[in-house]
Amino acid sequence: MSADVDAVPQKRSIQSRTKVKTGCKTCRIRKIKCDEEKPACKKCVSTGRTCDGYESVFRFAAHPPPNSGSLHFNKAEVSLPLVHSGLSEIAEEDIERLNRCFSIKTMLDVKLGCGEEAKQLLAASLTDPAIRHAISSLRTLREDLDATGNGRTAITEHAPCYGYGLKKYNMALSGLLSDMSFHTTNKLRSALLCCQIFISIEQLLGNYDAMAQHIVRGLMILHEYRVRPAISSKLELLPAYADQLPLLDVFIIKLFAAPCKFADAPKTDSLPQPVESPKHRILAPDTRTDITRLSQSVLQLLDEVGQLQSISAAVQLRAKKATLLQSLKSWLCNLEMSRKEMIPADTEPLSASFQRLFYHILQVVLLGTLDVSPEARVQLGTETEKLQKLANVVGQRVRNYHIRESPR
């Protein structure tokens, strides 16, 4: 009897141990704390074990299936194939068409300059089903956007292709998740290419909270797998580990550097207001110009870091990075000052809120550049949380904006 009594607390003690929820699969199976080094943890390597990698980097909830009525879509309605069959090179019209689909800001005839990214995606779609589904989804949903107009996809009647576009999006997400058990360079490449499309899709749908999730996790892949050289805590130059991965940060900066299409609709308690013409969108010109200029400097810094060959040059670029971070801080102070001058003082145009999102994105990109120290990881965590929270707020404001603009 005494033996049975002693066995009870022992069993409870085992059950009460904290489960290992992070780390590589090998350490989780062994139920030990993982150091979470990428691409393989040191605990596995030091003990001669094979590190089986980490959980999937993309864990996003797929969009709920649309109503059955919206799935009756004739695929022949898609006017052009992803890539012209039988051609060894990607057609220029396909590149331009996909480039236009990347951002709803192109409704203002803005040139994003993402032709190279479009060409890379179209080439990859020939052999990667997830990328192929993602591109098909983006282009189909863009057709729905153009049909409904002004980006009010959340509250207006959709064209028949809308349900088909969501179905393709879910297929892309499912295909990517099933193929990301092990983080080889090819699979990470596929994930980052899909991430470009997913960011564009969520922006098009007006889901800015989900868009921010894709941005944050995609940028974390670039940081953790070191796509560019970095400086160690011992002032040693660390070469790029996976320098052939797509430069998602460059794509995101181009995306947000385009002028914002949103302006707050006038408040009224009586008569509905007419939908605003794109030519009369309200922007914050001074701060907009400044942050666009800073983003170009960030792009230049990223290019220089990618070509690093000496620690002395790396130290110089680290000083340049610090200067850019300080310039961003000054920019935010200027934005806050302009906000205080607004009437009422507790509101700001949506265009300014998008500039804040851009600010946090540039912060995350810079903090993840050159430095791989634990302190940098903590700073990155703090900044990504701010980015996600702001994106949640902006997403709700955009939904309210579309409701106010919609015809009554």
Side-chain angles (χ1 to χ4, degrees), residues 39-74:
C41 81
K42 292 180 181 178
K43 287 202 173 181
C44 289
V45 174
S46 63
T47 56
R49 291 179 170 82
T50 299
C51 181
D52 288 334
Y54 300 82
E55 289 295 330
S56 173
V57 288
F58 283 87
R59 286 188 171 273
F60 302 105
H63 286 269
N67 296 330
S68 58
S70 62
L71 290 177
H72 297 297
F73 172 60
N74 183 1

Side-chain angles (χ1 to χ4, degrees), residues 216-236:
V216 167
R217 297 187 189 185
L219 292 179
M220 289 305 100
I221 293 177
L222 298 187
H223 177 68
E224 292 177 1
Y225 289 89
R226 208 166 64 234
V227 297
R228 298 182 182 86
I231 302 175
S232 71
S233 55
K234 298 179 181 180
L235 286 182
E236 297 172 335

Side-chain angles (χ1 to χ4, degrees), residues 3-226:
D4 293 338
V5 173
D6 292 339
V8 174
Q10 181 180 1
K11 183 177 180 180
R12 288 178 178 172
S13 176
I14 293 174
Q15 292 177 340
S16 63
R17 291 178 185 173
T18 303
K19 293 182 179 180
V20 181
K21 296 183 178 180
T22 60
C24 73
K25 294 183 179 180
T26 306
C27 288
R28 293 182 68 179
I29 292 173
R30 296 175 63 205
K31 297 183 179 180
I32 64 172
K33 183 175 177 57
C34 178
D35 55 43
E36 300 188 29
E37 286 290 322
K38 305 291 192 312
C41 81
K42 292 180 181 178
K43 287 202 173 181
C44 289
V45 174
S46 63
T47 56
R49 291 179 170 82
T50 299
C51 181
D52 288 334
Y54 300 82
E55 289 295 330
S56 173
V57 288
F58 283 87
R59 286 188 171 273
F60 302 105
H63 286 269
N67 296 330
S68 58
S70 62
L71 290 177
H72 297 297
F73 172 60
N74 183 1
K75 297 180 182 181
E77 293 181 25
V78 180
S79 55
L80 288 174
L82 292 180
V83 181
H84 292 308
S85 58
L87 297 181
S88 58
E89 295 185 357
I90 309 299
E92 286 297 326
E93 57 263 38
D94 286 340
I95 295 174
E96 180 55 35
R97 184 182 177 198
L98 182 57
N99 186 20
R100 178 178 179 272
C101 289
F102 282 139
S103 175
I104 58 174
K105 297 172 182 178
T106 52
M107 296 178 77
L108 299 179
D109 297 323
V110 173
K111 298 294 184 181
L112 292 177
C114 294
E116 191 59 37
E117 287 85 351
K119 183 177 181 180
Q120 190 178 40
L121 278 162
L122 288 169
S125 71
L126 296 174
T127 56
D128 193 315
I131 296 175
R132 189 159 57 249
H133 290 315
I135 293 176
S136 179
S137 170
L138 177 62
R139 287 172 44 167
T140 306
L141 290 171
R142 180 57 190 254
E143 287 186 9
D144 175 75
L145 174 68
D146 291 339
T148 56
N150 207 33
R152 296 191 300 275
T153 57
I155 58 176
T156 55
E157 183 178 351
H158 302 291
C161 56
Y162 177 77
Y164 179 74
L166 287 188
K167 179 181 177 181
K168 281 291 186 179
Y169 185 23
N170 285 331
M171 290 172 68
L173 285 164
S174 300
L176 183 62
L177 286 171
S178 64
D179 198 37
M180 287 298 295
S181 299
F182 302 97
H183 297 172
T184 63
T185 300
N186 286 339
K187 291 177 181 178
L188 287 170
R189 175 182 174 83
S190 178
L192 289 170
L193 288 173
C194 280
C195 192
Q196 293 180 3
I197 299 293
F198 295 163
I199 290 169
S200 299
I201 289 175
E202 296 295 0
Q203 180 192 212
L204 184 151
L205 294 173
N207 299 328
Y208 292 95
D209 45 356
M211 179 199 70
Q213 291 181 45
H214 289 301
I215 289 175
V216 167
R217 297 187 189 185
L219 292 179
M220 289 305 100
I221 293 177
L222 298 187
H223 177 68
E224 292 177 1
Y225 289 89
R226 208 166 64 234

